[in-house]
Amino acid sequence: MKTTTSNTQSTPESGLLSGWLQHKKWVIGLMGFLFLSGMASSGNAMHITEGILPLPWAGFWFLAVLPFVLWGLRDLKTRSSENACFKPMVGLVGAAVFVISCMPIPVPTAGTCSHPCGTGMAAILIGAPLTVVVTSIALLLQALFLAHGGLTTWGGNIMSMGVVGGFTGWGVFWLSRRLGASFFVAAFLAGLFSDWATYATTSFELASALHGDGSFWVMFSSIILSFCPTQIPLGIIEGLMTAGAFSFIHSRRPELLKRSFGLQESRL
Amino acid sequence: MKKVILLSVSILLAAALLVYGLTLLKKGEWSGVDETVVEKYAEAAGRPAWKPFINTEQGDMLLFFFLIAGTCGGFVAGYCFRELFVDAKEGAGAQKLRLQHD
């Protein structure tokens, strides 16, 4: 009864605000992506820095990710019309991806800093295609205002973090569940492998664009091995973080995951 | 026994990778892997990084952006979280209370 009264009292004032926010949700979401990035002190990560990729490669990766972005946008439109809770969910996950992907974590085993990606978590919460959209917005804002990544390397970074990271996370989660893994283990593996797949793809992109007359495989192996001391422990951290986030939502509002993953609860 | 061997080999392999990777990292002291790995290989290949188009890495400007970002980002994340986890719960609770009352 008390709760009902409290809700009724707050309706006139908060109703106006929430009404405005309902209509401006996407503007606010976009602002969130930008501003959440500020929680990190600097960008030290897998993002390929501005100007590193030759322009033909930059164009190639941009064209390669374009269908995934369009798929994600279509997915967003469809699912938003079906479920009112979906947009806040995308906003929350997007904000999380943005923060996580520019939050440098010191790794004592290597004496360096790097960041998790959050795309494995995003993929199992909102789906892989939408993860690409969320990632592309995050990367664009980081490139524009936070000297993190770059506009010429935008496509390459979307490919590694959004497409490969997202689809790997989704696929690993799906496969793990099919093989009988618990929710926690499946989410952990999704986070772990999406992180490693992201950095492997970055290595591939760099090696394919920069190997010149040298061997592609030598350069690829060298880059990927250079990532190992930092990314092996960081991948484990990302796995635990993904499992924690998934478990939290699964215990509080499992229906969000059922809708997001697009499967029946028994199969999820 | 098979599991023990597999685990030992995995640990040895991981340790070898870590040691080899550490030898490849010339820069240290908590630099980001974009510097120690990405930019290092790019420079070696003759493709040094450009300055950002909008260069916010000047003086304390980046800190300014980060501060605004943290403030507004926290608000947005909190708003979405509340809508998903708090309002929904309160809404369900209130509905339950109303049903009990009726």
Side-chain angles (χ1 to χ4, degrees):
Chain A
M1 193 65 192
K2 194 178 175 183
T3 316
T4 314
T5 311
S6 152
N7 282 347
T8 313
Q9 281 174 347
S10 64
T11 302
E13 283 173 17
S14 62
L16 192 67
L17 180 65
S18 71
W20 183 84
L21 290 171
Q22 286 283 332
H23 292 292
K24 304 289 179 188
K25 203 168 283 175
W26 288 107
V27 178
I28 290 167
L30 206 64
M31 282 168 65
F33 282 128
L34 166 62
F35 292 127
L36 269 169
S37 67
M39 293 173 79
S41 61
S42 66
N44 300 305
M46 59 30 85
H47 294 34
I48 301 174
T49 319
E50 190 79 83
I52 284 181
L53 291 180
L55 287 180
W57 278 103
F60 169 76
W61 290 118
F62 181 77
L63 290 175
V65 299
L66 204 55
F68 293 98
V69 175
L70 294 174
W71 181 10
L73 288 171
R74 196 175 139 224
D75 200 27
L76 177 67
K77 194 179 171 188
T78 312
R79 291 167 72 182
S80 299
S81 61
E82 288 170 0
N83 181 3
C85 286
F86 194 63
K87 279 183 181 174
M89 184 71 173
V90 174
L92 184 63
V93 170
V97 167
F98 201 36
V99 172
I100 290 166
S101 65
C102 59
M103 180 173 65
I105 296 176
V107 181
T109 52
T112 54
C113 290
S114 186
H115 67 72
C117 303
T119 45
M121 177 189 71
I124 59 177
L125 296 180
I126 59 172
L130 259 171
T131 301
V132 180
V133 176
V134 157
T135 306
S136 61
I137 295 169
L139 287 169
L140 178 64
L141 294 171
Q142 287 169 3
L144 281 175
F145 302 110
L146 298 164
H148 193 37
L151 293 178
T152 57
T153 54
W154 190 36
N157 287 329
I158 296 173
M159 176 55 81
S160 59
M161 206 171 109
V163 177
V164 176
F167 279 86
T168 301
W170 192 91
V172 168
F173 184 83
W174 182 86
L175 191 66
S176 305
R177 287 297 296 156
R178 288 292 176 283
L179 294 173
S182 67
F183 287 124
F184 191 88
V185 171
F188 171 80
L189 293 174
L192 179 80
F193 283 106
S194 74
D195 183 278
W196 290 352
T198 298
Y199 282 83
T201 309
T202 300
S203 308
F204 176 82
E205 288 170 357
L206 285 170
S208 54
L210 303 176
H211 70 89
D213 295 333
S215 162
F216 163 80
W217 289 108
V218 169
M219 190 169 192
F220 175 71
S221 315
S222 301
I223 297 172
I224 209 166
L225 283 170
S226 299
F227 276 131
C228 280
T230 314
Q231 289 314 127
I232 288 175
L234 209 65
I236 295 167
I237 292 172
E238 174 144 19
L240 291 171
M241 190 181 69
T242 305
F246 187 88
S247 299
F248 175 82
I249 298 175
H250 189 255
S251 65
R252 298 287 180 96
R253 295 204 59 193
E255 73 275 13
L256 287 176
L257 297 172
K258 191 169 75 173
R259 286 174 190 145
S260 296
F261 209 65
L263 291 171
Q264 296 299 315
E265 178 66 19
S266 58
R267 298 175 68 198
L268 178 68
Chain B
M1 188 61 189
K2 201 176 173 183
K3 279 184 181 174
V4 174
I5 293 170
L6 198 66
L7 187 68
S8 307
V9 171
S10 305
I11 290 169
L12 279 173
L13 193 66
L17 284 174
L18 282 172
V19 171
Y20 182 67
L22 282 171
T23 60
L24 293 172
L25 295 171
K26 300 288 183 202
K27 276 187 170 180
E29 305 301 323
W30 311 113
S31 302
V33 289
D34 57 347
E35 280 179 49
T36 57
V37 180
V38 176
E39 288 175 17
K40 188 188 92 175
Y41 282 98
E43 274 173 30
R47 295 283 310 179
W50 298 349
K51 282 195 171 176
F53 289 116
I54 302 172
N55 193 1
T56 51
E57 286 183 310
Q58 297 177 53
D60 283 348
M61 200 154 76
L62 204 54
L63 286 175
F64 167 74
F65 275 92
F66 287 147
L67 183 64
I68 297 173
T71 308
C72 297
F75 170 78
V76 174
Y79 178 78
C80 291
F81 183 88
R82 183 170 171 250
E83 201 168 331
L84 284 170
F85 296 101
V86 181
D87 286 353
K89 200 179 168 187
E90 280 180 1
Q95 200 176 15
K96 202 176 171 184
L97 275 171
R98 271 189 231 109
L99 284 171
Q100 281 174 352
H101 208 69
D102 294 341

